[in-house]
Amino acid sequence: MEAKRPLARSLAFDWVRNAIVSGVYHGHDYIEESTVCEAVGVSRTPVREAFNQLAAEKYITLTPRHGAQVRGIGAEELIEVYEVRRLIEGRSIELLCETKIPVTDKALSALEDRLRTTTAQHESPLDPELRVTASQTDWMFHYSIVSAAGNSVLSETYEFLRSRQQRVSIETGMRFPDLIKKYDEHHVAMIEAWRSFDEVEFKRILSDHLRPAERILASLEEG
């Protein structure tokens, strides 16, 4: 007997997402409904619902008469996402340092979660769930900085970037796992700059953190 629809949709969603982040499907590949139905053991309705959710989270694009196509992450999109992040996070840093808002427990907890996850990811680099979790903890760390600044519009705008930011994080982490250590060093250094309200250093670290390496851009341009 097929699982109830919410559970069936969740199973289909997880299967497709894991297939994408583990490299079974690549950018621009098409995913057939029937393939997911057979793999997960569910009907077409929850698969279509899962496709809609995946499209909303920028994993796939739904096209008439063609179905679900895996979204490729291009160099231009990466640059644009980082550009918007620099604006939002940079202004948040200014507010934190100008008003002397101390490092929050939320930020410290987010950093611990991120470091714990990337340690596990280093031990199991092919685990797709860890890739997803690592991208989530990365977003939560940066969101903790933005939300601490107390500007609700900045926070809401940053939340809008969540799915795209995580997709970019997963893609670059898959291609260049050696950069994860460098990024986590940046995360630790950001907290130290925040503790001392050193706006110049805080923003310098952020700028370095959100500067895509040339090899990342070249790989995305190649597809």
Side-chain angles (χ1 to χ4, degrees):
M1 181 180 297
E2 183 182 328
K4 292 183 179 180
R5 185 179 294 180
L7 176 57
R9 180 178 65 244
S10 178
L11 291 171
F13 175 90
D14 289 344
W15 187 90
V16 175
R17 184 195 63 185
N18 289 348
I20 293 172
V21 302
S22 63
V24 174
Y25 290 107
H26 302 280
H28 311 300
D29 285 349
Y30 284 96
I31 306 175
E32 299 290 339
E33 286 182 7
S34 58
T35 300
V36 183
C37 291
E38 183 177 351
V40 184
V42 299
S43 66
R44 288 182 180 269
T45 298
V47 171
R48 288 169 184 164
E49 293 172 347
F51 279 177
N52 287 330
Q53 183 180 353
L54 289 157
E57 297 191 17
K58 307 297 183 183
Y59 285 99
I60 63 175
T61 300
L62 297 176
T63 57
R65 297 186 298 279
H66 289 90
Q69 184 179 32
V70 179
R71 289 185 74 251
I73 300 296
E76 183 176 355
E77 180 176 4
L78 178 67
I79 292 170
E80 290 175 349
V81 169
Y82 279 11
E83 183 177 77
V84 175
R85 288 184 60 188
R86 278 195 297 273
L87 290 172
I88 296 174
E89 294 184 53
R91 179 54 184 156
S92 299
I93 287 170
E94 292 171 358
L95 292 171
L96 290 173
C97 294
E98 287 170 5
T99 56
K100 298 292 190 294
I101 297 173
V103 177
T104 62
D105 290 341
K106 181 179 178 180
L108 294 175
S109 178
L111 177 61
E112 290 176 2
D113 288 345
R114 166 67 182 180
L115 297 177
R116 186 183 309 112
T117 301
T118 52
T119 296
Q121 192 179 23
H122 178 74
E123 296 171 353
S124 304
L126 300 180
D127 188 332
E129 283 297 332
L130 282 176
R131 287 176 183 157
V132 174
T133 302
S135 74
Q136 292 170 338
T137 56
D138 177 67
W139 186 86
M140 284 303 302
F141 173 77
H142 288 273
Y143 181 71
S144 72
I145 294 173
V146 175
S147 61
N151 185 311
S152 62
V153 176
L154 285 178
S155 296
E156 289 168 7
T157 305
Y158 199 77
E159 283 189 85
F160 181 75
L161 292 172
R162 181 171 186 163
S163 60
R164 184 167 294 183
Q165 181 176 328
Q166 289 184 192
R167 183 79 170 87
V168 167
S169 175
I170 290 170
E171 189 75 17
T172 54
M174 285 176 61
R175 294 172 186 249
F176 303 102
D178 60 298
L179 292 176
I180 293 174
K181 180 180 179 181
K182 174 185 175 183
Y183 292 151
D184 280 344
E185 289 172 353
H186 289 164
H187 292 148
V188 173
M190 286 181 197
I191 290 294
E192 294 309 308
W194 185 356
R195 287 187 194 280
S196 58
F197 304 114
D198 189 339
E199 180 183 326
V200 173
E201 179 64 4
F202 204 162
K203 293 177 78 171
R204 184 198 67 77
I205 298 165
L206 176 70
S207 179
D208 191 26
H209 188 67
L210 297 180
R211 183 183 300 114
E214 288 300 321
R215 57 182 172 138
I216 294 177
L217 295 177
S219 74
L220 294 176
E221 288 170 352
E222 292 167 1

